[in-house]
Amino acid sequence: MDASAVNRRASGRARKQTEIYSSDALTSSAKRKRDDGDDANMGEERGMPEDYVSDEENEDDDEQEPDEEEVRERKRQNRKAARAGPNKPTAQKKAKIHGVSLPVRPAKKRAPKKTKATALEDATAFGGLYAEVFSGNQTTSDVVGQLLRRFDAKEHETLAEIITFVVRSAGCAGEVTEDDVADPDNITNKLEDLRDEYQATNPTEYPLIAKGKAGSTFKNALVDFFDTLFRSMAVKGTLYDNKVLAENIQMWVSTMSSAPNRSFRHTATVVAMTIVTTLCEIAKESLVEAAKDQQQAEKERKKARPNQARIKQMEENGRERTRLYEDIEPMLKDWFDVVFIHRYRDVDPVIRRECVAALGEWILTVPEVYYDGHHLRYLGWVLSDTAASTRGEVIKQLHRLYKGNESTGMKNFTEKFRSRMVEIATTDAENSVRVSGIELLNLLRDKELLEPDDIDKVGQLIFDSDAKIRKTVATFFTEIVRELYAAKLGDVGGLENMEEALPEAGEDYAAPRAEWLLYKSVAETLASYGADDRLPSQIERSQADGRLVLHLGAADSRFSLAADALYDKLHEIRDWQAMAGYVLADHPPSKGKQNGTFAQLVKESAITDEEELIMLEIMYASAKRNLLSLAEQLKQPKTKITARQKDRITDEQAEAARHLTDMIPRLLQKYGDVPSTAAAVLRIESILSLPDLTSLQQDAITYGALLDDVRKQFMSHGTDEVLAPASNAILQAKLYGDLDEMTDEKVTALWDDVITNLAGLLDPATITVRGASQVEELTALSNNLLRIGRLAQVSNCIVPLEHSSILQPHTADGAEFHAPIDYIIGLISRGVPVASTPAPDAHEAALEDQVAVRAADAALFYLRWQLKSIVAAVTTSTSAGLTIDELEPVASRRDAYAEILQQLLEARKPSEEISVALASSLLDLHSNAAILRDVKPKPGMTDDYTALIMDLQPKAQTLIMRVFASCEKNYAKITGKKLEDNDTDQNINDDPMSDPESDDEEEEEDAGQTQESQQRRDNKLRNTLVAEHILCALTAKIIHALFAGVIDVGTVRARLERNKLRLGPNFKEVVAYLDLDGLQKKGGKGKKAKGKERKKGPVVRPDPKSHAIVTEENEEEEIEDEEEDGDEALRRRGLLDEEEVEQREDEEVADGAGREEESVLGD
């Protein structure tokens, strides 16, 4: 036999010629003659499967076969009975996976979608080494001990057992014979035959990837066997003195690891990684023992009377252990070159993860072999793996390396792959990998292996949208703050010097203290990192030119979310009262050089306007967490908190609420002039309105003064940034039962203020005239209408808008204005362009449109309050009911409101923003009135109120659908999506923003304009979000109207579903609500029962809407929709489950790809 052929790998590459293994070595142990009896004994020792039939058995007579089968069956039944016991129920059998039984029972029974594993009894019945390892009758040490004794007697047979065990662990029922082991040149062909046999069974899984506990338990048993085997070989000396076993295992396993079949490749890789890990541990033990022997010998030499014999013995032991390590080292390198180099880039991410995990273990175990740039680079390369699990495993192993004592040698590796590690932490698609990456970079920062730019990139993640990311990066960010704090302390002479110079602050939070420098450091760092945030947490349209601006509103800002993440890591920010003293203190700008610790402290702790806003947001987050944590403690059961503890916590909570109430007026006095800071202070006030804190008692005088301050802010500002939290504060004040009377007085006074302002801004002669007011007047009028709308959301506006004596009745252009609500409805007409007058400039036109929209919103809330009062009047037993005279004004205003909205929709282009807002208001008007259909009046009550129920007229419906089509086009234009209607696609590419590839092309053309390209991409993303929100919101209102039965279902539904699958998942989910049972019960008939029409009087119902007014274009659209997709119609009727179809198709594609992808990278 040619030695070079023996030692040639399956991939065709020749490897190092071994010194011991040769054909003579194999044949030397097989020279003795064996008779038939020996063969039979070997068959028993090997434990062949029961269905195995030897050549000798084939020659036996058929009459003998039934006897052997009966004997086997009796043995099988006896074994089962012995395990089950007399009272133990028979365990349920598991199905086999491709003819091989798994050694464990799953945690719970699963649906029989695939073949299952058999029970442990079947593993025993299967026979051979597989049964010995997985049956559980013997320990792994006993199995390995018996195996090595058999190897001493019969090498070929034992080798065949081990290789057969590996093959069957891969799910193949085949076996490797002694002849196969004796012919190393035929390893590739034999494995190919086994693979063909395995593939003929149409496998879908194999033991290592079995679901439940089966897969993990199987892997543990497999790893334990080979770990014990090689350890025992080392102890016995077989690993060093007789390398036949180790080298033959390497030849078969390494060849098997390059098989095209995934199950063979995965199983062999696990075996190979386990063997190398065990060899590393054996080598480490040898090195450790050799070092101990050398140390003991040196220690003995230093004695006054050294024992030379003992020294000689120690040195001999050390040399022997060093020789053993030198024998193992070539094995480690050989296994690495033969298996790892190819499998770490396997097509299967599970195999790649196994390799990466093993390499990390090897580097830590024997750094003498693997801790160098040659081996570390593989970890760096796999950082760019496509599978998140593999990237996560690399991060895990790198974390172990950097945390260990050997991290000092990682500098070159860090320099090469630091940018990739930072990229994973900041932009990886998988959040769990990002979390691990951040933790790794935190370790690198501690070891001073990060550049300042890298630190800033990671620090900016404190504003990440994912709460888990913010919480993870809080530790990293805290260290950045503390480093800056330490630098500032050094500038003032150190902490000890400052504490000696400053007086004891105690509970005087206004007194200067060292924490001021820390607060300054936090605000300064957040301000620097937040300045580059291109995607703020809230987005709002500018009132003048439609630009997108930052809008905090009533929601938590990114600074408060960041502070909430820092609350558990930066303990100093938990003291919100100390922070209040800091922001309330005067910080005059420093002039020239100042001496003294106090002067230096004031200079270093002075904050800018931006930092003041940030500190207010931090205070909000801190106070909120503090009070809510106290409330949570009070919710604990009595078994966990004593009465005394509960009283103490209650007192502490009440004291904190009192301090907060006292502090807010002072904050408003200092920061109430600027809308952004005023809004931040009002958000702090909203903490008192949290559900868990509403039970706290409030002092009437103090809280009354607080409401006066809120009222002042409400009237001083005209932006929603301030009005939203202010109106929320008013709403929550009404929840305090003992303060109802005082709150009502404050709200009444506020209504008087806004109506008085409205009266001063209106000219009755030009109420409906567009362009009749100056820009300043329009701005003030728009702000006041916003106040009315916000106040109408939280308090009943019927009385102030109907019966106020501030605005006198007036008649202009045939319209009568009897009350403030009539003037407000009249202001909506300002949205109608006037052809006879010069067109206003863009800014003035935007203000006129804003006046119309805000007037429509305020009037809509008035009509909603009227509906609520009508429902209460007809259902309350103590109510006297409603008369026609009481309903007539409501109906007249309702009709005037609807008529004006329809006029505006006719006069304005559907693509304008005002059209979207007015279409939404018109839909809400009709949908809200539909609640009167379901009202059950008290006995004897007339149903005249049903005349207020109004269905959308065909013309109004057409106008609304025009606006909807325009929203579709706009969103498709921005995102580059193609609508089904070809007519809408011709202008999509007119705007370069609509081309999804335009950004990339421009970036290639103007590579130097990186900042402009990034800003352009950000603007496109924001515009996309706004356009999608507008489309989905309008679609939701249309669907709401469909459910209310005020709009025709047939034509509208078909139109909504036309582009359902073309405009993104959010739009698809909104349209999916059409399939709810509530709409299906209506049977697609459109409108239900209409309100009762009056025979006379001004309360006149509009003409009944026809069931369908369909143009030829609509008829064609309906025909196309009906013939478009039969599957969609089946799905709506419940005959086709789309998710199951998609899941089935995905599985088919995945299975097909898996079969086609039987190639191995690297081979």
Side-chain angles (χ1 to χ4, degrees):
M1 182 181 301
D2 187 5
S4 63
V6 172
N7 293 281
R8 187 172 296 277
R9 299 182 57 242
S11 61
R13 289 171 50 194
R15 65 181 177 85
K16 180 181 178 181
Q17 179 70 28
T18 56
E19 299 177 358
I20 297 180
Y21 177 76
S22 66
S23 59
D24 295 336
L26 279 174
T27 56
S28 63
S29 60
K31 289 182 178 180
R32 64 182 181 85
K33 302 272 186 180
R34 292 175 298 178
D35 53 14
D36 295 340
D38 291 335
D39 292 338
N41 293 334
M42 287 181 64
E44 292 178 2
E45 290 177 2
R46 289 164 55 189
M48 299 304 295
E50 295 172 0
D51 56 353
Y52 175 80
V53 181
S54 64
D55 295 336
E56 291 81 5
E57 290 173 345
N58 285 332
E59 296 176 358
D60 293 343
D61 295 335
D62 295 339
E63 296 177 357
Q64 297 178 354
E65 294 180 359
D67 297 336
E68 293 179 353
E69 291 294 338
E70 290 175 1
V71 171
R72 293 192 182 102
E73 183 63 25
R74 292 192 192 99
K75 290 181 179 180
R76 186 184 299 110
Q77 292 179 356
N78 291 337
R79 283 193 296 267
K80 290 181 180 180
R83 285 186 177 84
N87 298 325
K88 187 176 179 180
T90 304
Q92 293 184 355
K93 263 194 169 186
K94 295 182 182 179
K96 293 182 178 180
I97 297 180
H98 319 312
V100 179
S101 59
L102 291 183
V104 295
R105 181 181 294 109
K108 61 180 181 179
K109 189 175 181 181
R110 297 181 179 271
K113 292 183 179 179
K114 298 179 181 178
T115 56
K116 297 181 179 179
T118 56
L120 296 178
E121 302 88 80
D122 294 330
T124 304
F126 199 75
L129 183 59
Y130 188 88
E132 294 177 4
V133 173
F134 294 126
S135 63
N137 293 335
Q138 304 179 71
T139 63
T140 306
S141 300
D142 294 339
V143 173
V144 170
Q146 298 172 11
L147 183 70
L148 292 179
R149 286 192 291 272
R150 291 199 298 271
F151 176 77
D152 293 337
K154 302 173 182 178
E155 293 182 355
H156 288 79
E157 181 181 350
T158 307
L159 281 170
E161 278 191 83
I162 296 175
I163 305 306
T164 301
F165 170 76
V166 177
V167 170
R168 289 177 177 172
S169 297
C172 178
E175 68 170 334
V176 176
T177 64
E178 299 175 38
D179 295 336
D180 298 326
V181 173
D183 187 9
D185 291 338
N186 198 41
I187 292 178
T188 303
N189 295 333
K190 178 59 179 178
L191 289 176
E192 184 70 20
D193 294 340
L194 292 172
R195 191 182 71 86
D196 293 341
E197 177 184 347
Y198 173 66
Q199 289 296 118
T201 62
N202 296 322
T204 57
E205 62 180 14
Y206 51 94
L208 275 178
I209 62 171
K211 296 181 179 179
K213 285 186 176 181
S216 60
T217 307
F218 182 91
K219 180 180 177 181
N220 293 337
L222 181 65
V223 169
D224 183 51
F225 169 75
F226 279 98
D227 178 72
T228 306
L229 174 62
F230 273 77
R231 287 183 181 275
S232 301
M233 291 167 58
V235 172
K236 190 176 181 180
T238 306
L239 183 64
Y240 313 105
D241 301 334
N242 187 0
K243 299 185 179 181
V244 174
L245 180 58
E247 292 187 351
N248 274 272
I249 292 176
Q250 179 181 346
M251 291 175 60
W252 282 88
V253 171
S254 61
T255 306
M256 189 175 173
S257 69
S258 299
N261 184 276
R262 184 169 299 172
S263 62
F264 278 38
R265 210 166 60 246
H266 186 191
T267 306
T269 302
V270 171
V271 171
M273 299 299 105
T274 302
I275 292 173
V276 178
T277 301
T278 303
L279 292 175
C280 289
E281 293 174 353
I282 295 172
K284 180 180 180 180
E285 293 172 0
S286 299
L287 288 176
V288 170
E289 293 299 326
K292 287 182 178 180
D293 291 335
Q294 185 177 0
Q295 291 176 358
Q296 291 177 357
E298 291 295 332
K299 187 177 181 180
E300 184 67 24
R301 284 195 187 95
K302 294 179 181 180
K303 291 182 178 180
R305 301 177 61 183
N307 188 335
Q308 297 299 330
R310 186 179 180 186
I311 293 174
K312 183 177 181 181
Q313 182 63 37
M314 291 178 183
E315 291 177 344
E316 181 64 24
N317 292 340
R319 285 192 294 270
E320 177 63 20
R321 290 188 172 96
T322 302
R323 184 188 66 81
L324 297 180
Y325 167 78
E326 293 173 351
D327 286 346
I328 295 176
E329 187 175 7
M331 301 181 193
L332 297 176
K333 295 180 179 179
D334 202 20
W335 275 104
F336 187 88
D337 296 338
V338 171
V339 179
F340 179 87
I341 285 182
H342 304 286
R343 295 286 65 77
Y344 90 96
R345 48 180 176 165
D346 194 277
V347 295
D348 188 358
V350 177
I351 296 178
R352 300 198 298 269
R353 188 174 70 245
E354 297 278 1
C355 293
V356 170
L359 179 58
E361 188 67 31
W362 303 343
I363 295 174
L364 289 172
T365 305
V366 280
E368 296 82 1
V369 178
Y370 294 107
Y371 190 64
D372 53 39
H374 173 73
H375 294 92
L376 287 172
R377 60 179 180 171
Y378 295 101
L379 294 177
W381 290 339
V382 183
L383 283 171
S384 301
D385 195 278
T386 57
S389 59
T390 308
R391 296 194 302 273
E393 186 63 39
V394 178
I395 295 295
K396 177 182 176 181
Q397 298 304 323
L398 289 177
H399 194 279
R400 297 176 61 193
L401 292 176
Y402 281 108
K403 196 174 182 179
N405 297 327
E406 297 83 5
S407 60
T408 54
M410 298 285 289
K411 186 174 182 180
N412 292 334
F413 174 86
T414 306
E415 290 293 332
K416 186 174 182 179
F417 295 103
R418 182 181 59 244
S419 60
R420 176 56 188 154
M421 289 187 280
V422 173
E423 184 180 5
I424 286 179
T426 55
T427 62
D428 197 275
E430 188 67 29
N431 276 352
S432 60
V433 179
R434 291 182 65 194
V435 169
S436 301
I438 294 170
E439 293 173 347
L440 175 62
L441 292 181
N442 191 36
L443 193 60
L444 266 64
R445 188 201 56 78
D446 292 339
K447 296 182 178 296
E448 299 180 352
L449 295 175
L450 286 182
E451 295 293 332
D453 291 342
D454 300 329
I455 294 176
D456 292 340
K457 289 179 181 178
V458 180
Q460 290 174 358
L461 296 179
I462 198 67
F463 299 118
D464 195 87
S465 59
D466 188 88
K468 190 174 183 180
I469 299 296
R470 296 196 301 269
K471 185 177 180 180
T472 305
V473 82
T475 303
F476 191 98
F477 187 89
T478 299
E479 295 303 320
I480 297 175
V481 171
R482 294 202 179 279
E483 289 179 0
L484 180 60
Y485 172 55
K488 291 183 178 297
L489 280 177
D491 293 339
V492 297
L495 180 61
E496 295 182 359
N497 181 41
M498 185 170 56
E499 289 179 346
E500 292 177 358
L502 294 177
E504 183 69 24
E507 295 185 358
D508 183 10
Y509 297 110
R513 57 185 67 200
E515 286 78 4
W516 283 17
L517 292 176
L518 180 70
Y519 300 149
K520 167 66 177 179
S521 301
V522 175
E524 184 177 330
T525 307
L526 286 174
S528 62
Y529 288 163
D532 295 333
D533 189 20
R534 300 182 181 90
L535 287 178
S537 54
Q538 293 87 15
I539 299 175
E540 184 190 43
R541 287 283 185 183
S542 172
Q543 62 179 9
D545 53 7
R547 291 181 303 172
L548 296 170
V549 297
L550 177 63
H551 170 52
L552 298 177
D556 290 345
S557 70
R558 53 200 174 102
F559 294 110
S560 61
L561 292 175
D564 185 74
L566 294 171
Y567 187 84
D568 295 326
K569 302 296 182 181
L570 197 59
H571 301 297
E572 288 83 352
I573 67 172
R574 296 183 181 182
D575 192 351
W576 57 269
Q577 297 185 54
M579 286 189 288
Y582 173 60
V583 297
L584 286 172
D586 293 329
H587 299 283
S590 58
K591 298 181 181 179
K593 185 177 181 181
Q594 299 183 12
N595 298 321
T597 303
F598 179 79
Q600 290 181 337
L601 174 62
V602 172
K603 176 183 176 181
E604 293 294 334
S605 61
I607 55 178
T608 63
D609 294 341
E610 182 183 8
E611 293 169 355
E612 287 177 341
L613 175 61
I614 293 174
M615 285 304 304
L616 291 174
E617 296 291 349
I618 297 174
M619 283 176 54
Y620 164 75
S622 178
K624 182 179 178 181
R625 283 284 298 271
N626 182 272
L627 289 172
L628 287 181
S629 64
L630 294 175
E632 290 295 328
Q633 294 179 37
L634 292 175
K635 291 182 180 180
Q636 295 181 9
K638 295 181 179 179
T639 56
K640 294 185 178 181
I641 183 173
T642 64
R644 179 177 298 179
Q645 291 175 334
K646 187 174 182 179
D647 293 340
R648 179 183 58 79
I649 296 173
T650 303
D651 295 341
E652 185 178 350
Q653 187 185 48
E655 184 70 12
R658 184 182 63 80
H659 282 298
L660 188 62
T661 306
D662 294 338
M663 178 190 65
I664 292 173
R666 298 166 58 196
L667 291 173
L668 287 175
Q669 183 179 3
K670 182 174 182 179
Y671 297 107
D673 295 337
V674 180
S676 58
T677 53
V681 175
L682 290 174
R683 276 193 295 276
I684 297 175
E685 191 277 338
S686 67
I687 297 174
L688 299 173
S689 305
L690 293 174
D692 292 335
L693 304 177
T694 52
S695 60
L696 294 176
Q697 296 293 327
Q698 295 290 342
D699 180 71
I701 298 177
T702 304
Y703 202 73
L706 178 59
L707 287 180
D708 288 335
D709 290 328
V710 172
R711 173 187 169 189
K712 179 181 177 181
Q713 296 300 320
F714 194 88
M715 296 304 300
S716 300
H717 300 282
T719 64
D720 214 29
E721 183 181 9
V722 178
L723 296 181
S727 58
N728 182 64
I730 296 171
L731 175 63
Q732 297 302 327
K734 301 172 67 175
L735 299 179
Y736 294 105
D738 52 345
L739 302 177
D740 281 347
E741 184 176 351
M742 180 193 66
T743 304
D744 291 340
E745 292 177 359
K746 303 294 183 183
V747 173
T748 300
L750 193 55
W751 271 115
D752 292 339
D753 292 342
V754 295
I755 298 300
T756 302
N757 273 8
L758 181 64
L761 295 169
L762 291 180
D763 182 2
T766 59
I767 289 293
T768 61
V769 180
R770 183 180 179 92
S773 302
Q774 300 297 323
V775 173
E776 294 78 7
E777 296 174 349
L778 287 174
T779 302
L781 180 59
S782 175
N783 293 341
N784 201 70
L785 287 172
L786 179 60
R787 295 189 190 100
I788 294 175
R790 276 295 183 181
L791 195 55
Q793 291 182 19
V794 298
S795 65
N796 194 327
C797 60
I798 295 177
V799 173
L801 293 183
E802 278 189 354
H803 305 291
S804 176
S805 60
I806 299 174
L807 274 171
Q808 299 300 322
H810 183 78
T811 302
D813 297 332
E816 296 183 356
F817 303 100
H818 300 283
I821 183 59
D822 298 321
Y823 288 94
I824 293 174
I825 294 176
L827 286 171
I828 304 175
S829 299
R830 292 219 175 189
V832 179
V834 181
S836 59
T837 59
D841 59 25
H843 179 62
E844 185 178 349
L847 287 175
E848 292 281 9
D849 291 345
Q850 192 177 73
V851 168
V853 171
R854 289 181 173 178
D857 290 340
L860 181 61
F861 277 105
Y862 162 80
L863 293 173
R864 285 170 173 167
W865 281 108
Q866 285 286 6
L867 291 174
K868 182 179 180 181
S869 65
I870 291 171
V871 172
V874 299
T875 57
T876 305
S877 58
T878 59
S879 175
L882 293 172
T883 64
I884 293 296
D885 294 336
E886 293 174 320
L887 292 173
E888 282 181 0
V890 179
S892 299
R893 288 164 178 151
R894 186 272 322 267
D895 293 341
Y897 181 78
E899 182 180 355
I900 294 175
L901 291 183
Q902 186 169 326
Q903 290 177 1
L904 262 71
L905 290 176
E906 291 177 356
R908 303 300 294 263
K909 295 179 181 179
S911 59
E912 296 182 83
E913 290 186 16
I914 187 175
S915 298
V916 179
L918 297 179
S920 300
S921 298
L922 189 58
L923 287 168
D924 286 339
L925 172 67
H926 292 77
S927 301
N928 296 156
I931 65 172
L932 297 178
R933 290 197 184 108
D934 301 325
V935 172
K936 295 180 180 180
K938 64 183 180 180
M941 180 67 65
T942 63
D943 60 350
D944 292 336
Y945 65 89
T946 58
L948 294 175
I949 304 173
M950 184 171 60
D951 298 319
L952 271 171
Q953 297 300 305
K955 188 174 184 180
Q957 177 178 313
T958 302
L959 293 172
I960 290 173
M961 296 313 296
R962 282 177 54 200
V963 177
F964 170 78
S966 176
C967 293
E968 272 191 332
K969 293 179 184 179
N970 182 47
Y971 180 60
K973 183 177 180 180
I974 293 176
T975 58
K977 298 182 183 295
K978 184 177 181 180
L979 299 178
E980 181 178 328
D981 188 358
N982 294 329
D983 294 337
T984 64
D985 298 336
Q986 59 185 358
N987 296 325
I988 286 181
N989 294 326
D990 292 347
D991 183 359
M993 289 296 295
S994 65
D995 186 0
E997 299 179 358
S998 63
D999 291 337
D1000 298 334
E1001 294 174 357
E1002 180 175 333
E1003 190 171 359
E1004 293 175 1
E1005 295 175 1
D1006 303 326
Q1009 301 178 356
T1010 305
Q1011 185 174 0
E1012 295 181 4
S1013 301
Q1014 183 64 44
Q1015 184 177 4
R1016 192 169 188 273
R1017 285 192 294 268
D1018 292 342
N1019 289 336
K1020 180 178 179 180
L1021 177 58
R1022 294 172 184 173
N1023 294 336
T1024 300
L1025 293 174
V1026 173
E1028 185 179 33
H1029 169 71
I1030 292 174
L1031 173 62
C1032 293
L1034 180 61
T1035 305
K1037 291 183 180 295
I1038 296 174
I1039 295 175
H1040 190 195
L1042 288 173
F1043 278 99
V1046 298
I1047 196 171
D1048 184 73
V1049 175
T1051 57
V1052 173
R1053 174 167 186 158
R1055 182 63 186 85
L1056 293 178
E1057 292 183 334
R1058 177 191 296 176
N1059 295 297
K1060 175 181 178 180
L1061 303 178
R1062 299 172 181 266
L1063 295 176
N1066 291 331
F1067 179 75
K1068 178 182 176 182
E1069 290 300 321
V1070 173
V1071 177
Y1073 277 89
L1074 288 170
D1075 293 322
L1076 291 180
D1077 295 337
L1079 187 59
Q1080 293 175 349
K1081 290 179 180 179
K1082 297 181 183 298
K1085 296 181 181 180
K1087 303 176 294 295
K1088 280 270 187 176
K1090 298 179 176 58
K1092 180 179 179 181
E1093 297 186 8
R1094 296 188 59 200
K1095 296 181 180 180
K1096 58 182 178 179
V1099 184
V1100 180
R1101 285 298 311 268
D1103 295 335
K1105 173 185 168 187
S1106 63
H1107 264 294
I1109 298 179
V1110 186
T1111 63
E1112 292 181 2
E1113 180 182 358
N1114 289 335
E1115 289 177 350
E1116 292 176 359
E1117 292 173 357
E1118 289 182 349
I1119 293 174
E1120 292 173 359
D1121 291 335
E1122 291 174 358
E1123 297 178 355
E1124 174 190 12
D1125 192 356
D1127 289 346
E1128 182 66 19
L1130 291 174
R1131 188 187 65 77
R1132 286 202 304 267
R1133 289 181 291 180
L1135 302 178
L1136 182 64
D1137 191 336
E1138 181 179 339
E1139 294 183 357
E1140 292 183 359
V1141 172
E1142 293 178 355
Q1143 184 177 3
R1144 183 170 65 250
E1145 291 176 353
D1146 293 342
E1147 292 177 354
E1148 292 174 358
V1149 171
D1151 292 341
R1155 296 188 181 96
E1156 295 174 1
E1157 204 176 47
E1158 294 296 341
S1159 62
V1160 186
L1161 294 177
D1163 287 338

